[in-house]
Amino acid sequence: MAISITGKKIRITDKTIMNIFRLNNNIDIYCLNKIISYLEKIGVDNFEVDKKWMVRYGTLISNKFIMRIRFLTDIELIKKMNINEVVINIKNPKFNTILSKLIEQNVNITIEYEAENIDELEQLKNYIFLKNIKKINRIIISNLSNISVESEWKKIIESFKEKTGFFVDVYPFDSFCSATSTAIESAISFADGIICAFNGIEGKKNVAPLEEVIAYLSLIINKNNEDLSILQDLKNLYYQVTKIEIDKSKPIIGDNIFLVESGIHIDGILKNPNTYEPYNPLSVGIKRGFVLGKHSGRKAIVEKLKEYKINYENIDIDMLLKTIKENKITINNKYEAESVIKLLNMK
């Protein structure tokens, strides 16, 4: 599934498989292949890896792998592993030496430029000369965590893009919980690609969560009603290999994000789901759920009893609701509902 906005293709580069390797370097190839397959199905175009990853999983040679170059010795793997694209951080202490060696290789070179604030971003103009190196045609702008929305950060990047002709990818860090919005805003305006990782974890830092970026672009911006239900399989496999539990309230993939208790919200959803739901829960593999509690109303009670296939014709709904509220009871399943009804009948 390709991601695009108003006809412009957005390249999605994933860092999940390299991060998983850091957490579990014993993951078997079958499981890794399954993760890669899931990621491709939701819209990932490329996967960033490094030398350690390539040495361990070199048999998975693919033209979708982008290799991060950190040391001169990493270059020897390019030809051996048939790598088509590499990335190097401009802050690498050996940048000039490594770049000169990379130019000799038959490989596309992507440069990463890290800018935390607007002052650092403005220094991007000092690297316009890179356009003279034919093998460089893409730059990654990373971090952007302390960029004010009122600043002219987009204009700075757009100007650089115009002067160099480079493709520009954005790789936002989540230091101030703004990575997703930065990624989306960039994709809508100037970015040719977004770099992110599943669950927003990449090494020791938080970054734009892959599932949030893809779901927002596909389901909210494009309103494509894409089937992203495989995200639940990916979530389960991710936990299996990393032992990192996904918060139940995590946007897009959290188990409880479509659970509703409030009476007015339930009534609104029953009449028109679009009132409170920006997209169909089933599109991300989650079922809508109503929880009965102190904020519930009559409609919620009736709907829940229907769901549990409990005959409610002889049940005093108002008294049941009063019992739930007075005793501050929360009902999450059929067994709990039946227990409260028994309590009601004993009065």
Side-chain angles (χ1 to χ4, degrees):
M1 180 185 75
I3 306 294
S4 62
I5 299 178
T6 60
K8 180 182 74 171
K9 172 76 172 67
I10 304 296
R11 185 172 92 157
I12 304 295
T13 300
D14 168 77
K15 286 206 167 198
T16 307
I17 60 172
M18 192 160 68
N19 185 58
I20 287 175
F21 176 65
R22 292 193 188 102
L23 297 168
N24 178 5
N25 57 17
N26 291 317
I27 179 173
D28 63 75
I29 288 183
Y30 171 78
C31 189
L32 186 61
N33 258 326
K34 203 168 186 179
I35 292 172
I36 291 173
S37 174
Y38 286 162
L39 291 168
E40 288 178 327
K41 286 178 180 177
I42 63 172
V44 170
D45 299 293
N46 299 90
F47 303 88
E48 184 180 310
V49 297
D50 58 11
K51 181 180 179 180
K52 288 183 179 180
W53 194 98
M54 289 302 297
V55 168
R56 175 69 174 82
Y57 299 106
T59 55
L60 290 175
I61 293 175
S62 168
N63 59 6
K64 291 190 174 184
F65 293 152
I66 300 171
M67 183 174 170
R68 178 166 289 274
I69 303 296
R70 295 189 176 91
F71 307 101
L72 271 171
T73 51
D74 295 352
I75 296 175
E76 64 192 34
L77 279 182
I78 293 175
K79 189 174 182 179
K80 182 179 179 181
M81 298 296 186
N82 196 30
I83 297 295
N84 296 321
E85 183 178 346
V86 297
V87 58
I88 179 173
N89 194 307
I90 212 161
K91 291 183 178 180
N92 189 306
K94 298 287 186 179
F95 175 77
N96 291 327
T97 305
I98 294 174
L99 181 60
S100 64
K101 293 293 183 182
L102 286 174
I103 292 171
E104 298 172 3
Q105 307 295 314
N106 183 27
V107 66
N108 294 316
I109 303 169
T110 295
I111 304 297
E112 179 180 357
Y113 180 85
E114 185 175 337
E116 179 182 357
N117 53 53
I118 194 69
D119 292 333
E120 292 178 352
L121 188 58
E122 286 178 339
Q123 299 308 308
L124 184 61
K125 62 187 177 184
N126 296 330
Y127 296 95
I128 291 176
F129 73 90
L130 291 172
K131 69 178 183 179
N132 298 317
I133 302 175
K134 291 184 179 180
K135 292 187 178 180
I136 300 176
N137 68 350
R138 186 178 294 267
I139 190 165
I140 297 168
I141 311 294
S142 64
N143 198 332
L144 298 173
S145 59
N146 199 17
I147 302 288
S148 169
V149 292
E150 290 82 15
S151 69
E152 297 188 342
W153 66 280
K154 288 188 290 185
K155 287 185 178 180
I156 293 171
I157 299 175
E158 287 169 345
S159 174
F160 179 83
K161 182 178 179 179
E162 182 180 347
K163 291 176 181 177
T164 60
F166 288 166
F167 292 107
V168 174
D169 291 359
V170 171
Y171 175 34
F173 297 174
D174 206 28
S175 307
F176 297 99
C177 302
S178 59
T180 299
S181 59
T182 300
I184 299 301
E185 192 171 352
S186 300
I188 292 172
S189 52
F190 64 83
D192 300 291
I194 303 296
I195 298 169
C196 38
F198 188 77
N199 197 31
I201 298 176
E202 202 283 299
K204 295 181 179 180
K205 59 180 175 286
N206 293 329
V207 300
L210 173 72
E211 66 281 359
E212 292 182 23
V213 172
I214 286 181
Y216 197 95
L217 292 177
S218 299
L219 304 176
I220 308 297
I221 299 295
N222 289 333
K223 300 185 183 301
N224 284 340
N225 199 28
E226 296 282 358
D227 182 5
L228 300 177
S229 57
I230 202 169
L231 280 169
Q232 297 304 313
D233 295 322
L234 178 57
K235 177 180 72 174
N236 294 334
L237 191 53
Y238 178 83
Y239 171 73
Q240 180 183 322
V241 298
T242 67
K243 302 307 177 188
I244 295 176
E245 291 192 26
I246 305 295
D247 191 290
K248 292 184 183 298
S249 61
K250 177 80 172 64
I252 311 300
I253 54 176
D255 290 341
N256 294 346
I257 61 172
F258 285 102
L259 280 184
V260 184
E261 179 186 328
S262 172
I264 191 170
H265 291 156
I266 292 174
D267 183 58
I269 289 171
L270 289 172
K271 290 176 179 176
N272 180 7
N274 293 333
T275 306
Y276 293 105
E277 295 173 351
Y279 53 87
N280 188 331
L282 294 176
S283 63
V284 292
I286 298 176
K287 289 184 178 180
R288 178 189 302 124
F290 298 148
V291 177
L292 299 182
K294 62 181 180 180
H295 299 296
S296 299
R298 294 186 87 263
K299 275 197 173 182
I301 296 286
V302 171
E303 285 300 318
K304 209 62 183 173
L305 294 178
K306 284 181 182 178
E307 179 186 330
Y308 295 148
K309 296 181 179 178
I310 295 175
N311 188 340
Y312 57 90
E313 290 182 1
N314 297 320
I315 296 176
D316 187 334
I317 300 298
D318 291 324
M319 186 58 67
L320 177 58
L321 184 59
K322 183 179 179 182
T323 300
I324 290 172
K325 291 186 175 184
E326 286 182 351
N327 293 278
K328 297 180 181 179
I329 297 170
T330 299
I331 298 176
N332 293 293
N333 54 55
K334 182 177 181 178
Y335 173 77
E336 291 176 351
E338 290 174 335
S339 297
V340 176
I341 291 170
K342 287 180 182 178
L343 176 65
L344 179 64
N345 291 334
M346 290 171 62
K347 291 185 176 182

